[in-house]
Amino acid sequence: MLPDEREETPVGEPRLIYDGDGITLTAELIVYKNPKTIRYGELNKQATAAKRARDMPRAVELLQEAKALYGDDYEDTRLAKFLQQAGRFDDAMTEIQWLIDTLHGRIERHLSHQPRVTRRASQAGYMSRIHRDAVMICKRAKETELQSHHGAEQLRWTNLAHKLWPLSEACDLQRSEEFALACAASRQGDRTSMEAYFRKWRPDVSE
């Protein structure tokens, strides 16, 4: 769920393509990688290397720098895991709570174009994974009471996700069917059908 950046760097190499008349043309196959994503990956690799070198303080610093790149859009539980392994269990739990507290905002920012049921299903799925990793952190730290709490929360959110995803899929199907009908009506010269579709399903666009 990390956002795409507008600043992009092309990476690729020349390729040969052919048009309908068999004429050979030279084209460049371009793959776009944004600098922030590249830097984020580098920091995570360096953190892994620091961990293997048993330098957990440095590994934590590197992941904190990676988190700073994305601010409230950071969603990885890896920093929390490294904090626990560095002997900083309380900080690890603070990080877990931060991920929980900021999740709703991340979902609303990045899935605002999706129906509410889809946003809530995604939130439930992410919440389940956060609590799952919290269970692992607590187990490693032998914090049985907190482990039980996060285990119960993981189960609760997992069950909710299982209930919501079929509703989300049904909503997607209905949306697809209504879009097809609106397209067909538009081809017949009826502009109001498409406008009504966007007002219902994509108010962010229609506005």
Side-chain angles (χ1 to χ4, degrees):
M1 202 165 60
L2 294 177
D4 293 331
E5 302 299 322
R6 294 186 181 277
E7 182 182 359
E8 297 173 324
T9 302
V11 179
E13 59 184 18
R15 289 287 187 270
L16 295 180
I17 61 174
Y18 300 89
D19 68 7
D21 296 324
I23 301 174
T24 303
L25 303 173
T26 301
E28 184 180 8
L29 178 65
I30 298 178
V31 178
Y32 288 98
K33 295 183 179 180
N34 68 67
K36 187 181 289 189
T37 300
I38 293 172
R39 180 59 179 158
Y40 181 82
E42 291 172 347
L43 289 168
N44 272 274
K45 289 179 181 178
Q46 292 170 20
T48 298
K51 178 184 175 182
R52 289 174 178 169
R54 301 185 183 279
D55 187 355
M56 289 307 299
R58 178 57 180 159
V60 167
E61 288 177 1
L62 289 162
L63 288 185
Q64 288 172 331
E65 186 178 345
K67 176 183 177 179
L69 287 173
Y70 286 101
D72 285 349
D73 286 323
Y74 182 78
E75 62 179 5
D76 201 339
T77 58
R78 197 174 190 220
L79 175 56
K81 295 172 185 174
F82 274 42
L83 284 165
Q84 183 274 320
Q85 292 171 38
R88 298 169 58 181
F89 176 77
D90 289 343
D91 290 336
M93 287 295 98
T94 298
E95 177 67 14
I96 288 292
Q97 190 59 50
W98 181 88
L99 291 168
I100 292 171
D101 292 343
T102 55
L103 176 59
H104 180 79
R106 286 193 296 277
I107 293 291
E108 292 302 305
R109 282 193 298 277
H110 299 295
L111 296 180
S112 60
H113 61 289
Q114 294 290 347
R116 184 175 184 275
V117 66
T118 300
R119 299 198 304 273
R120 298 292 73 80
S122 297
Q123 182 177 352
Y126 274 105
M127 196 70 80
S128 174
R129 289 191 286 276
I130 292 171
H131 285 290
R132 177 199 63 195
D133 290 347
V135 167
M136 181 178 65
I137 290 170
C138 292
K139 183 177 181 180
R140 288 174 174 172
K142 303 187 186 308
E143 294 283 348
T144 55
E145 186 174 346
L146 274 176
Q147 180 182 339
S148 297
H149 164 73
H150 286 290
E153 286 296 289
Q154 178 193 356
L155 180 61
R156 181 170 74 89
W157 285 103
T158 298
N159 289 339
L160 180 59
H162 287 167
K163 292 178 182 178
L164 290 175
W165 277 119
L167 299 177
S168 175
E169 291 172 355
C171 186
D172 286 343
L173 178 60
Q174 179 185 355
R175 183 169 57 167
S176 297
E177 292 173 347
E178 291 187 15
F179 181 70
L181 291 173
C183 287
S186 294
R187 287 193 291 270
Q188 298 298 320
D190 180 5
R191 297 181 179 179
T192 61
S193 295
M194 189 60 73
E195 291 174 355
Y197 169 85
F198 278 106
R199 281 196 302 272
K200 177 178 180 179
W201 295 106
R202 291 296 304 275
D204 58 315
V205 174
S206 61
E207 292 174 358

